[in-house]
Amino acid sequence: MPIDGTQEADVANVDARELIYVTRGGAGRVLALGGLQQLGWNLRRAPDARSVLRILQREPRRPHAALLDLREGFTQQDLAEFGSALSAGNVGWVAGIDARQLDDAPVRDLIRDYCYDYLTLPCPEAVLNTVIGHAHGMAGLACERGDATSEAGFDGMIGESPSMRTLCRTLRKAALTEAPVFIAGETGTGKELAAMAVHRHSRRHAHPFVAINCGAIPHSLIQSELFGYERGAFTGAQQRKLGRIEMANSGTLFLDEIGDLPLESQASLLRFLQQGSIERLGGHEQIPVDVRIISATHHDLDVAVAEGRFRADLYHRLCVLRLQQPPLRERGSDIDRIAEYALQRYSQEGHRTLKGFAPCARQALHSHTWPGNVRELINRVRQAVVMAEGRLITAADLHIESALTTPPPTLDEVRDAATRAAIERSLHRNRGRLVDVARELGVSRVTLYRLMLRHGLRAHDPESPNTIHVA
């Protein structure tokens, strides 16, 4: 069987629509699909996920339709490997099945979560042409939208750095499922913004998005905030109140700073996740609630579980899909993009028109460690807009004056520091024996001696501490 379109490529038309046929069927089970080629489809065949990804990556901005023939040949392990291919933005998937396969839960889940449609095979090519044509059209719309919004990131999230591109791809995949999502990341990295993006692109987007900060509510009130209460449940409960979980029914509940949730409330939350129902404080009725849980925290939950501060069973319930929000200091040029965005957003708050950032401010933006991440950056720029005296924002306006006295190292300085550190470590390992150090570092003894003099390093003979040992 031809792989990656080796045979079909000979008759490929650059104006034809792209179709990938994924099959492992034996003789008599593989669809010929010759009529589709005559209808303008450029057909390529692939036996596995890796082959599909190779095809898609050749033309990442060109839409493709893909027919996944599930009738035989694919194990559960094989299907699990298709995750990245099924989530690719430039392909519309159609599943081909036997009628009895609809009784198979994994097949139903795959069709529901990733496919535009499904067909019972074999079927007339006219029907197949219509269905895969629709999937191809939807993939085309997705490609156009991706081109128009690539600069803004996913759902308005600003960033083009590799870490943010990875995060946005993961967010898109998470939005297609109903699985609980856990977002890890430092304070101020935008975890709630990511959670809202997942909700808005999910099937629950028309229903409520309810957020609660578990670390900002006193422990004595967290139970009533989550689960609500009946009238008379406690002193001051004059009327029934719905909890955040019930308010989010049919939508998404975002549990921010889940690491601060007290153990008692952790047990109650776990019970809800297991049973799918809640009981208001002071009540006895089991109330079914359908919500998707997204949680986040700046704490290391693995450490919290090991120390007994967070329940392991709840941790595994919440962390089905785990996302990592990158810190600002690791996002490179995204710092400039976010700073420019903040400047444009708040430029009207200042008393003069600002033209941008001075070179010293640019240097300060990239030298600062940003412990408060994106939130800190936006707040500093907003403050600078109001307080700036000139037409350009300076490092002083950003209150990062330390950057002026600590310029970034030059390439020679970085190279010298690395060389000195390597020699020091080797001298320590070899107890100052230069012949062994030179051999380990791959240089001559003369070169090593010259480098040591340049960097002010000395190696001492154990028997004569005041002399350099150059054996």
Side-chain angles (χ1 to χ4, degrees), residues 351-352 354 384-394 397:
H351 57 281
R352 58 169 49 86
L354 295 172
V385 166
V386 176
M387 303 304 296
E389 297 293 337
R391 291 299 182 91
L392 294 174
I393 292 177
T394 66
D397 296 327

Side-chain angles (χ1 to χ4, degrees), residues 69 117 147 251 273 296 392-393:
D69 193 338
D117 209 336
D147 291 342
L273 294 176
L392 294 174
I393 292 177

Side-chain angles (χ1 to χ4, degrees), residues 338-394:
I338 297 171
E340 293 287 354
Y341 161 79
L343 176 59
Q344 293 176 13
R345 179 176 179 180
Y346 298 110
S347 59
Q348 302 303 317
E349 295 185 0
H351 57 281
R352 58 169 49 86
T353 301
L354 295 172
K355 293 184 177 180
F357 296 89
C360 64
R362 297 283 185 188
Q363 179 181 320
L365 290 172
H366 287 275
S367 65
H368 190 54
T369 57
W370 298 112
N373 291 287
V374 177
R375 184 184 296 120
E376 178 189 355
L377 172 57
I378 291 176
N379 288 342
R380 283 183 182 271
V381 173
R382 186 176 187 180
Q383 174 183 262
V385 166
V386 176
M387 303 304 296
E389 297 293 337
R391 291 299 182 91
L392 294 174
I393 292 177
T394 66

Side-chain angles (χ1 to χ4, degrees), residues 32-110:
L33 303 181
L36 292 179
Q37 290 179 287
Q38 296 177 3
L39 292 172
W41 289 98
N42 184 26
L43 176 65
R44 290 182 170 87
R45 293 176 183 164
D48 52 34
R50 185 176 301 178
S51 301
V52 174
L53 286 173
R54 281 201 298 268
I55 296 172
L56 296 176
Q57 289 167 358
R58 289 172 188 166
E59 296 178 289
R61 297 186 181 276
R62 187 170 186 177
H64 294 68
L67 175 61
L68 178 57
D69 193 338
L70 295 171
R71 290 177 295 169
E72 65 177 8
F74 290 103
T75 65
Q76 197 64 36
Q77 175 78 23
D78 295 330
L79 293 178
E81 294 175 357
F82 272 90
S84 55
L86 290 167
S87 300
N90 62 327
V91 59
W93 286 91
V94 174
I97 61 171
D98 287 327
R100 65 179 184 276
Q101 286 183 287
L102 288 178
D103 296 329
D104 189 353
V107 172
R108 291 200 308 270
D109 292 343
L110 184 147

Side-chain angles (χ1 to χ4, degrees), residues 194-220:
M196 293 176 67
V198 171
H199 170 74
R200 282 195 291 263
H201 289 263
S202 72
R203 292 180 176 86
R204 298 176 179 265
H205 63 88
H207 299 284
F209 176 88
V210 178
I212 180 171
N213 189 322
C214 301
I217 300 175
H219 288 188
S220 59

Side-chain angles (χ1 to χ4, degrees), residues 127-142:
V127 176
L128 186 56
N129 180 57
T130 299
V131 174
I132 63 175
H134 174 67
H136 185 275
M138 297 300 290
L141 292 176

Side-chain angles (χ1 to χ4, degrees), residues 431-435 459-462 467-471:
R431 299 189 179 186
R433 295 187 296 271
L434 298 192
V435 64
H460 300 285
D461 188 333
T467 61
I468 296 180
H469 182 54
V470 295

Side-chain angles (χ1 to χ4, degrees), residues 261-271 309-311 314:
L261 194 66
L263 285 171
E264 178 186 358
S265 299
Q266 292 178 31
S268 301
L269 179 60
L270 177 64
R271 189 180 307 112
R309 294 182 285 109
F310 201 87
R311 294 180 62 112
L314 178 59

